Amino acid sequence: MKIIEDISEMQSLAGSARGAGTAITLVPTMGFLHAGHEELLRVARGKAGFLILSIFVNPAQFGPNEDYKTYPRDMDADIKVALSSGVDCVFAPRPEEMYPDGFQTYTQVERLSMGLCGEARPGHFKGVATVVLKLFNIVMPHVAVFGKKDYQQFVLIRRMVRDLNLDVEVVGVETVRESDGLAMSSRNSYLDADERKAAVCIPRALDEARSALSGEDAQAVIRMVKKNIENEPLAVIEYIKVCDKDTLQALDRIEAGAMLLLAVRIGKTRLIDNCLFTG
Ligand code: PAF
């Protein structure tokens, strides 16, 4: 397995693989890999001739008061996961090479960046779209794999690929959960023991929401989820919305393709999750 930091080295290795007709699959991550990432790598391995895992904590997607500096990092553990997942190449570029002095070109997916997480994290999705486009330009993957826990991110990247005619298949992978239902996230490591117990209010509320029937009033479902989460004193709701799964526009009623998306703070940790109504 190769470990590459230099952008030009990555470009030339990926260029040779592409030139030789090998299918390249990219799994972009910020590292601190967990079972959710392993699932992305498992799906990607099934598709790839050459599997590239990128590990880059992207400063451009963190706000000034967010956790860029403290975001968990463990390259040695990540390399072990990469080896056991059959990764061919880890690409871990240096921030100063990704964003050199004078950098000023950003990508913005306009409507899909607004609302939901975009409201509380202005500029976040501009940073995500920019780094993903840069990674696509460097690696030129045929396939790129993303988790659906970050659902707004997934839809937005899919839109960017269509809008900018990028020749990449975007694959979304279902959320992997802990045994009590909490969605896997690198940020779960911020939770102390009490907060970790409290966080289970999120998957429990989503489980109850899933039983909503087609035609039900979306606001009534939102009220039910809100009430369940508010029973947990450590939880502070940022948003709970029912939206169309493709446009992310708010819906009045539950219908096939409706999705409930939420962000909740448990102590200082911001957690997001979602569920799809099957109708
Ligand atoms: O989901 C993530 O880990 C990040 O937002 C991504 C897609 C790797 C871009 O930095």
Side-chain angles (χ1 to χ4, degrees):
M1 185 179 79
K2 275 194 109 45
I3 301 173
I4 294 181
E5 288 189 346
D6 287 348
I7 292 177
S8 59
E9 202 186 326
M10 185 69 256
Q11 279 172 316
S12 95
L13 183 67
S16 317
R18 209 172 225 271
T22 308
I24 300 175
T25 297
L26 171 67
V27 179
T29 76
M30 299 206 297
F32 208 68
L33 304 177
H34 50 65
H37 295 111
E38 286 179 89
E39 177 61 6
L40 302 185
L41 292 169
R42 191 191 63 76
V43 171
R45 185 64 276 171
K47 294 189 167 277
F50 194 67
L51 175 54
I52 301 174
L53 163 71
S54 67
I55 298 179
F56 181 64
V57 184
N58 172 34
Q61 70 187 72
F62 290 81
N65 300 316
E66 291 186 343
D67 53 346
Y68 173 65
K69 288 227 165 75
T70 56
Y71 193 84
R73 293 158 168 91
D74 189 343
M75 191 51 92
D76 292 343
D78 289 350
I79 299 285
K80 287 190 188 132
V81 173
L83 280 168
S84 67
S85 302
V87 169
D88 295 303
C89 173
V90 172
F91 176 45
R94 290 178 295 272
E96 58 279 18
E97 211 194 345
M98 287 293 269
Y99 297 107
D101 281 350
F103 184 93
Q104 54 186 292
T105 307
Y106 293 88
T107 316
Q108 179 98 31
V109 182
E110 297 201 346
R111 279 198 304 283
L112 287 170
S113 302
M114 294 175 195
L116 305 171
C117 290
E119 212 162 298
R121 305 189 70 190
H124 169 67
F125 288 117
K126 181 171 146 191
V128 169
T130 301
V131 82
V132 171
L133 182 58
K134 281 172 71 71
L135 291 168
F136 285 179
N137 283 334
I138 295 165
V139 168
M140 291 194 303
H142 299 84
V143 179
V145 178
F146 296 87
K148 288 194 187 170
K149 178 183 74 72
D150 299 293
Y151 193 77
Q152 188 173 10
Q153 165 175 286
F154 165 67
V155 177
L156 179 137
I157 289 166
R158 207 174 51 182
R159 186 76 252 170
M160 175 181 80
V161 163
R162 283 186 202 142
D163 289 352
L164 299 182
N165 306 100
L166 304 177
D167 191 12
V168 184
E169 180 195 348
V170 176
V171 172
V173 174
E174 294 309 322
T175 304
V176 177
R177 296 177 180 280
E178 305 273 0
S179 55
D180 62 3
L182 182 66
M184 296 265 181
S185 164
S186 303
R187 288 192 170 98
N188 291 352
S189 66
Y190 295 156
L191 300 167
D192 68 23
D194 289 339
E195 291 169 343
R196 176 62 189 79
K197 274 191 212 140
V200 81
C201 70
I202 299 171
R204 280 202 191 129
L206 289 181
D207 274 349
E208 211 179 320
R210 265 189 206 96
S211 61
L213 298 174
S214 191
E216 253 183 77
D217 177 21
Q219 287 306 321
V221 178
I222 290 171
R223 275 197 299 276
M224 176 175 79
V225 172
K226 186 165 180 279
K227 196 163 152 241
N228 279 333
I229 293 177
E230 279 174 352
N231 279 337
E232 171 46 64
L234 293 180
V236 176
I237 295 167
E238 191 181 283
Y239 69 78
I240 305 171
K241 296 264 163 72
V242 172
C243 301
D244 175 86
K245 73 176 177 42
D246 296 316
T247 63
L248 299 186
Q249 293 302 301
L251 292 175
D252 294 334
R253 308 226 151 253
I254 304 302
E255 56 191 58
M259 236 181 150
L260 189 138
L261 300 104
L262 55 72
V264 173
R265 284 182 192 275
I266 306 283
K268 288 197 175 118
T269 308
R270 184 176 182 278
L271 301 174
I272 57 172
D273 206 338
N274 61 73
C275 74
L276 178 68
F277 297 101
T278 44

